[in-house]
Every structure is written in C-alpha cells, then in structure tokens.
Amino acid sequence: MTARRHIVVAGASQAGCACAAALRGFGFDGEITLLGDESHRPYTRPPLSKGVLVGAEPDHSVFLPVLDDVSMLGGVAAVGLDRSKNVVELAGRESLHYDGLVIATGARARRLTHGGHSELTVRTLDDALDLRQRMDGAQEVVVAGGGFLGMEVASSAASLGKSVTVVDGVSPLAGRLGSLLSGMVLTAAAEHGVRVRVVPGGVTVGFSDGTPDRLLSTDGSLLAEGDIVVTAVGDVPNMEWLHGSGVDLDGGVVVDDECRVAPDIVGAGDVVSVRRADGHCVRSPHWSNALSQARTAAATLLGLKPDGGVAATTPPFFWTEAFGLKIRLAGHLPPVGEPTVIDGSIADRRVLLAWRASGQTHGFGTAAAVNYPMSAPKLAKIAQQVLAH
Ligand SMILES: Cc1cc2nc3c(=O)[nH]c(=O)nc-3n(C[C@H](O)[C@H](O)[C@H](O)COP(=O)(O)OP(=O)(O)OC[C@H]3O[C@@H](n4cnc5c(N)ncnc54)[C@H](O)[C@@H]3O)c2cc1C
C-alpha cells in the first residue's frame, strides 16, 4: 500500500465519487479531498435526458452518495496544476497540496455558437431543469444532433406531446449502433411522430430575443424552426486547467491502460483518452466506463494491481433508452454484419443479439439486449464468447 497521505480528486461527479469510494474500499485511510466546480452536490447524469427531463423521476434521485470521511470542496474550480510543487491551483483560493491526484473533470457540452448566445443543451442538472421548464411552454422542439443524447431528448419531448424534429448531418446512430439497431430506433421515432432530417454540411443556431428557435445551414437557409432548439452535438473534455502542466493531452488526458498519467497522477471518466497498444488514444465517454476507470485509477494510485486494467479484455458496456426501446450493448461499436438472434425476436423488439468480431483483436464481439432483461456482466460474457472470424 502507498505512503500517500492526501489524495485530491478533481471533478466531483460519476468518476470522481466512484474513485473516492474505491480508494476507501481498497483501504486508503489518508485524507481525500473531492473538488468540484458545480454548486450542486455530486449527481449522476443519465436520468437528466430521460426521467428527470419528463418529470418522471424526482430531481433528488440523481444525487450521489459521498462518504462521510471524504472532504467535499464544492463550487470551486481547479484552474491550474503545478507538478513541481504538487499543487492544484484553485479559482479565487489558495492552492491545494496533493501527494496523489485523480483527474476526473469530465466533459462539457459542445456548442454550435460562440460568445453571448446561450444554447440549450443537456449536460448539467441545471440544464435539464431549465429545459424541462422551457419545454412546458413549447409545442415545436427542434433537436440538433441525432446521437444518443439527441435521440433521448427527442424521445422525452415526444413523450410530452411535443412536435419534434431532429436534424443531423448523417443518419442518426448508424455510426454507433450499426444499421439494424439504428434502424429500429428510427422506426420507433417515426412511430412517435418524430421527423428526422439528414442535412450534410454544418448547421448553425438562430436566436429570437435570446431564445434559440431555428436551425440554419451554413449558407443561411432555414432548415427547421420551433419554439426551442436543443443542441446535442457531442462533448468536449474539461482539460484546459491542465495546459502548461506537462500532462499529455491528446483529445483528452492521456492515460495508459491502468489509468496512469504520471507516477502520482491518475485519470478516469469522460476527460480521459486511453492510449492503446497501436498508439491511438481513444475516449469512451460512457457511464460504466467512468466507473470501471475510477476503480482502476484508484488501484493504480495506491500501487495495487488493477484487475486487468481498462483496455484489454473487458468489453465496454453502454445503454440508451428512447422511444420505448431500452438498448444495452457490450463490446465493439458499431456492430457490423448480420447478428445471431440468441433469444426473442427483432420484430417484437424484445431480443438478445450477438455479432461476431470482424478483424478485431481484443477477443470479443458485440452483444445487444433490446427490451431484454440482462445484467451488464452477462451481456459482456456473451460478447466475449462470440468468436472472431
Ligand atoms: C444527459 C446525459 C445522459 C447520459 N446518458 C447516458 C446513458 O444513458 N448511458 C451511458 O452509458 N452514459 C450516459 N451519459 C454519459 C455519462 O453520464 C458520463 O459518461 C459520466 O457522467 C462521466 O462521468 P465523469 O465523472 O467522468 O464526468 P462528468 O459527469 O462530466 O463530471 C465531471 C465533473 O467535474 C467538474 N469539473 C469540470 N472541470 C472542473 C474543474 N476545472 N475543477 C473542478 N471541477 C471540474 C464538472 O463540473 C463535473 O461536475 C449521459 C450523459 C449525459 C450528459
């Protein structure tokens, strides 16, 4: 076990809280400071585009537990890192000394406009509460971006009786879910009255009296208008505070497959980019990834052997819920080719599917459960059992 006495966890959300809990779980009995820039207590984000947005889940259900013996420093941003002094620099305060640091500052919503305008996005609890209120008074909702988040927001809006249009440059979800599953989502979306427009080329947001209410193509022609436009066009890792610190940044904070940044620094969650054996860095900004990386990061920081690391053999797990479809996936995305139906039926939209790995080297394919009860570990096992060609 390590001789570290004070571990600072920068970023107080899914990965940060899980890492603090894992440090204690592994027996670390020194001081832990959990540092977060939001004014709320730590909370989880997946319900924000689903139950919280439609008011089906109480707002307080999102809050995460923080252990009593972890010091919470909320509403304070890390603005710099001085590795020569082992300090995290804080906004408007003294700096915080560490002898072990966890970087878990996550990501923020990517925006289409810059300066002055306030786009509507769903990244924070405040975003979701604001959007819920605005949706109350809206009939026509336009969603820019047909990824997981955009389709979830569209689904929530449609379930509230709104007239919904989704605009994207490519066919929604095909690049992540493959043709079969994305087709299933698009069919269900159409049945819920949602219009999907595929418009190659960029889009911009137009505002009236400060409210985003139309989407324009880059040549200025009108693509869609509504009472509100919600933007769901990806995320940007929160790593500016590390500029100049010497920490390797490549589309995220670069970590190895044990979540190590440097001997006394680890990273976990949406902010990190894992360097693979082929040298490429890959970000996987998903909930279960944040949890597994947090555990691996805690073990690494304490000098324990992480259980397998984050890269090699465990298929990544992901889920989404939209238009009456609960889709849970383990393994490579997008799945390619024809799946094997293990149980259920595609026509009934209650099905367990597996795709063989094609040309992949990690020893797993893809397994998907659509409206089919199955735990994440069991789904991962199926993905592992699917042999490569
Ligand atoms: C609306 C929504 C729905 C989602 N639904 C799903 C889903 O269905 N399935 C799924 O697998 N994943 C889903 N995700 C993704 C999942 O929520 C994220 O992968 C997860 O939140 C990552 O956790 P994190 O702790 O790494 O980062 P974050 O959740 O981004 O937390 C980082 C925290 O650090 C804080 N911070 C940032 N900069 C600083 C700083 N300089 N100093 C101090 N604090 C800082 C941030 O304010 C934030 O509180 C969803 C995400 C969103 C936004």
Side-chain angles (χ1 to χ4, degrees):
M1 179 69 71
T2 178
R4 301 185 199 288
R5 296 315 306 156
H6 184 201
I7 293 179
V8 172
V9 182
S13 185
Q14 206 77 59
C17 290
C19 198
L23 287 165
R24 287 288 183 242
F26 287 132
F28 176 69
D29 62 0
E31 199 184 337
I32 300 176
T33 302
L34 186 56
L35 169 71
D37 64 355
E38 296 195 64
S39 54
H40 294 288
R41 303 177 359 229
Y43 58 88
T44 189
R45 289 172 211 277
L48 301 182
S49 50
K50 309 177 185 76
V52 167
L53 193 54
V54 297
E57 281 180 48
D59 301 347
H60 64 76
S61 67
V62 299
F63 291 116
L64 294 167
V66 178
L67 298 173
D68 288 344
D69 56 0
V70 169
S71 310
M72 179 70 217
L73 200 52
V76 180
V79 293
L81 173 65
D82 185 341
R83 292 170 65 195
S84 67
K85 296 186 183 139
N86 276 29
V87 294
V88 174
E89 290 152 5
L90 305 179
R93 286 204 187 207
E94 288 169 14
S95 40
L96 201 55
H97 185 271
Y98 66 85
D99 40 30
L101 173 65
V102 181
I103 299 173
T105 43
R108 59 185 179 276
R110 190 167 83 81
R111 290 172 188 273
L112 292 172
T113 50
H114 302 285
H117 291 302
S118 70
E119 271 173 52
L120 299 178
T121 57
V122 192
R123 180 74 205 183
T124 66
L125 178 56
D126 288 340
D127 292 339
L129 299 181
D130 177 44
L131 182 58
R132 188 169 76 196
Q133 198 176 23
R134 286 172 186 256
M135 279 217 280
D136 254 357
Q139 268 317 306
E140 302 268 345
V141 176
V142 176
V143 180
F148 295 119
L149 182 58
M151 294 307 272
E152 288 183 2
V153 171
S155 170
S156 294
S159 77
L160 293 170
K162 312 300 171 191
S163 169
V164 183
T165 304
V166 176
V167 178
D168 201 328
V170 294
S171 183
L173 297 176
R176 300 292 287 155
L177 291 185
S179 56
L180 176 78
L181 295 177
S182 64
M184 222 184 242
V185 176
L186 289 182
T187 303
E191 288 165 1
H192 284 74
V194 171
R195 292 171 297 279
V196 174
R197 292 198 55 190
V198 176
V199 183
V203 295
T204 59
V205 183
F207 292 78
S208 299
D209 297 329
T211 299
D213 63 356
R214 57 197 185 279
L215 272 185
L216 309 160
S217 66
T218 40
D219 66 8
S221 53
L222 183 66
L223 296 173
E225 61 185 334
D227 300 303
I228 51 172
V229 171
V230 185
T231 315
V233 291
D235 60 356
V236 182
N238 293 318
M239 55 186 188
E240 290 76 4
W241 67 282
L242 296 164
H243 285 162
S245 67
V247 165
D248 193 5
L249 306 175
D250 183 354
V253 172
V254 175
V255 298
D256 65 14
D257 64 3
E258 294 183 347
C259 291
R260 190 180 292 99
V261 174
D264 52 353
I265 306 177
V266 292
D270 284 9
V271 74
V272 308
S273 198
V274 180
R275 194 179 295 286
R276 302 288 185 194
D278 62 6
H280 285 104
C281 293
V282 182
R283 258 183 89 227
S284 300
H286 300 309
W287 183 88
S288 73
N289 200 40
L291 295 190
S292 60
Q293 288 180 341
R295 195 176 156 78
T296 300
T300 297
L301 197 55
L302 297 180
L304 307 171
K305 183 131 188 69
D307 37 10
V310 289
T313 51
T314 312
F317 172 80
F318 172 76
W319 88 97
T320 185
E321 297 173 24
F323 307 111
L325 299 171
K326 282 190 186 179
I327 302 179
R328 300 154 70 75
L329 289 144
H332 293 291
L333 298 184
V336 178
E338 284 299 309
T340 303
V341 176
I342 298 174
D343 194 21
S345 114
I346 293 171
D348 291 346
R349 296 180 189 167
R350 184 181 181 282
V351 66
L352 183 59
L353 300 163
W355 286 258
R356 289 157 69 93
S358 56
Q360 305 285 353
T361 52
H362 296 308
F364 50 79
T366 307
V370 180
N371 290 342
Y372 191 102
M374 165 129 324
S375 70
K378 280 190 181 162
L379 206 58
K381 201 160 201 169
I382 294 174
Q384 279 168 323
Q385 285 165 349
V386 183
L387 295 175
H389 292 199

